[in-house]
Amino acid sequence: ESKAKGGEDCKLASSSTSSSSSPSSPSVSVAHLERLLTYLNKHHVRENSELVGDIMKIVPLLIQSNPPLTKTVIKIFKPYLQWDEIDGGVGGDDIKKATTPGGAEHQRQSRQQQLEYQVSCFVTFCANIPVSPGGNEIRELFFQDNVIHDCVAALKQTAKSDGGGAGGSTSAASTSKKAGKKRKRKKKKRAAAGDDGEADVAIDRPSLPFIIQILDGLCKGYEKAQRLMVDMSAIGILHQIEGRSSHNRVGPMAESLLQALVLNNATVKNYIEDLRNETRLRKKNRALAKRKKLLKRMGFKSAQKSRNKLTAEMKIAGIESLSKESRFKCMVCHEGYSFKPRDILGFYVYNKEVAIGDFCTEEEAGLTSVTHFNLIHYTCHAEAVRA
């Protein structure tokens, strides 16, 4: 039986591959596509991740310029885009009808694994939609069926959640009160640090990587989806996520999605650049205010003539009575005879041997000397030589 299934899979894969060269070929029907996507649920196919990836990579090529096939893909995968269940919420009629707690938990886990598997397949499909007129036809049907709108709405819920998974199961009243107090404390800390311009984003939400990657594929080079992201104020959330690190690596994913939004769209590009410049300026002002507050606490302030120099506001007792050093001072320790009267100062001299000629009868050679009068203590010179 397994051999028969394997042969059937090979025949289907070969027919699909031959038809991928001409996506609009009549040999690829809705029945063929449904049959191909049905094999994703076979155990021997699920265990082979490379085979699953190859199947989902050829599907966008098969459905180009063929609206019925695209609608078939939507019909198959849209029911699995249940973000509340992926985040840990309980849903589904089969789970609600479970009689024993153990059975309900097993069915919930099985349901969640099935959702994550199908959504990961859909992510691979979206990532391989070509950036071309044919690819935009696929994106247009997803846009008309509100798939893109629902994903953007789910992305916006990330900023509204408390970090414990948006759309999860309802907690007890005491837990909700504790979570509310915790959010208030976080808000007060951000306001005290001048960080009230950024919302709290639940970057550890399990469904967030799926949502961002799906939008990355569906918004790339498609103007309607790009404009929808701006109209629904979702770009600001992505901008907050792109600079943060987490175990699910949503930061690079958000940055990739922002790059997809600026593709062939100068308006969105300027909007994102302005948003980034505004954030950069806000962080700079926040850092300067924190630095100024810290310097004031230490008793320093910026000099009026030079911004890079600091002056002390505190006064040191007896500093006015100190006399200034004379102009003869060591070039190393900058002290002279006023503070080190017993240390002898010398100066460096450059000597050169020259011929004297007729000026001297006994010796024919002599020395000339020159100096810049760089003074140094003999003790400082000896320490410099030893060093």
Side-chain angles (χ1 to χ4, degrees):
E1 183 180 357
S2 61
K3 292 182 179 179
K5 288 182 179 179
E8 195 174 7
D9 293 343
C10 294
K11 291 179 182 179
L12 182 60
S14 61
S15 64
S16 303
T17 306
S18 62
S19 61
S20 62
S21 58
S22 57
S24 60
S25 174
S27 60
V28 181
S29 63
V30 172
H32 286 153
L33 183 61
E34 290 179 345
R35 193 176 179 186
L36 176 64
L37 297 179
T38 302
Y39 279 107
L40 294 174
N41 294 319
K42 301 292 183 180
H43 179 72
H44 66 282
V45 176
R46 293 186 60 166
E47 294 297 324
N48 193 340
S49 59
E50 293 184 1
L51 177 61
V52 174
D54 292 338
I55 292 175
M56 298 314 302
K57 286 178 182 178
I58 66 172
V59 170
L61 303 177
L62 295 175
I63 66 175
Q64 280 193 83
S65 304
N66 197 327
L69 295 182
T70 304
K71 292 180 180 180
T72 301
V73 174
I74 297 173
K75 182 185 70 174
I76 292 175
F77 284 104
K78 188 176 180 180
Y80 293 105
L81 303 181
Q82 304 295 328
W83 309 121
D84 292 351
E85 294 187 50
I86 294 177
D87 289 333
V90 179
D93 295 336
D94 295 336
I95 300 175
K96 293 178 181 179
K97 292 178 181 179
T99 55
T100 62
E105 179 64 20
H106 176 72
Q107 291 188 26
R108 188 191 69 81
Q109 292 180 358
S110 177
R111 167 72 173 173
Q112 190 167 0
Q113 291 176 0
Q114 175 70 5
L115 289 176
E116 292 180 357
Y117 169 70
Q118 293 291 341
V119 173
S120 63
C121 293
F122 186 61
V123 167
T124 307
F125 164 80
C126 294
N128 289 275
I129 299 177
V131 183
S132 63
N136 286 342
E137 291 179 4
I138 298 175
R139 296 182 177 93
E140 174 67 24
L141 291 176
F142 278 92
F143 184 84
Q144 294 177 2
D145 210 274
N146 290 328
V147 174
I148 299 177
H149 182 277
D150 294 344
C151 289
V152 178
L155 176 63
K156 289 196 65 178
Q157 290 180 2
T158 303
K160 298 177 183 179
S161 63
D162 58 9
S169 58
T170 306
S171 304
S174 59
T175 307
S176 301
K177 290 181 179 179
K178 291 180 180 179
K181 291 180 180 179
K182 188 176 181 180
R183 286 196 300 269
K184 289 181 180 179
R185 286 196 299 267
K186 287 183 178 181
K187 189 175 181 180
K188 288 181 179 180
K189 288 182 179 180
R190 289 197 304 268
D195 193 20
D196 51 351
E198 297 181 1
D200 189 14
V201 180
I203 58 176
D204 294 331
R205 182 182 175 189
S207 63
L208 186 58
F210 296 128
I211 296 171
I212 294 178
Q213 291 180 92
I214 289 172
L215 289 174
D216 191 349
L218 296 179
C219 295
K220 188 175 295 182
Y222 183 55
E223 185 179 358
K224 287 186 178 180
Q226 294 169 345
R227 190 167 57 248
L228 179 66
M229 293 286 289
V230 177
D231 295 339
M232 295 185 66
S233 304
I235 294 182
I237 300 174
L238 293 173
H239 174 57
Q240 295 172 35
I241 297 174
E242 68 170 333
R244 301 174 67 174
S245 59
S246 63
H247 67 279
N248 52 9
R249 297 180 57 82
V250 292
M253 294 178 188
E255 187 176 357
S256 177
L257 176 52
L258 289 175
Q259 293 297 326
L261 292 174
V262 303
L263 184 63
N264 301 329
N265 197 322
T267 304
V268 178
K269 181 178 181 180
N270 294 332
Y271 178 82
I272 294 176
E273 287 180 354
D274 292 341
L275 191 62
R276 286 172 172 169
N277 291 334
E278 182 183 351
T279 303
R280 195 179 297 113
L281 181 62
R282 185 172 64 251
K283 289 182 177 180
K284 181 180 178 181
N285 294 334
R286 190 186 310 152
L288 290 176
K290 187 175 181 180
R291 177 177 179 269
K292 186 177 180 181
K293 185 178 179 180
L294 183 61
L295 291 175
K296 185 177 180 180
R297 189 185 306 168
M298 296 172 62
F300 289 92
K301 66 177 182 179
S302 300
Q304 296 180 355
K305 295 183 179 180
S306 178
R307 295 182 179 178
N308 296 327
K309 292 183 179 180
L310 298 175
T311 58
E313 293 182 345
M314 61 181 65
K315 293 183 179 181
I316 301 176
I319 196 170
E320 293 84 359
S321 61
L322 295 177
S323 61
K324 292 184 178 180
E325 186 59 78
S326 63
R327 68 188 187 95
F328 298 109
K329 56 185 178 180
C330 176
M331 60 183 300
V332 175
C333 66
H334 301 285
E335 301 292 350
Y337 289 115
S338 299
F339 299 99
K340 291 184 178 181
R342 296 182 179 276
D343 290 352
I344 300 175
L345 285 169
F347 55 89
Y348 290 108
V349 178
Y350 176 73
N351 296 323
K352 183 180 181 182
E353 185 177 343
V354 295
I356 296 178
D358 298 335
F359 294 99
C360 183
T361 58
E362 295 181 358
E363 295 182 4
E364 295 182 355
L367 295 173
T368 61
S369 61
V370 66
T371 179
H372 286 283
F373 208 68
N374 291 324
L375 298 174
I376 188 172
H377 286 118
Y378 284 109
T379 55
C380 293
H381 174 73
E383 292 176 2
V385 170
R386 285 195 299 270

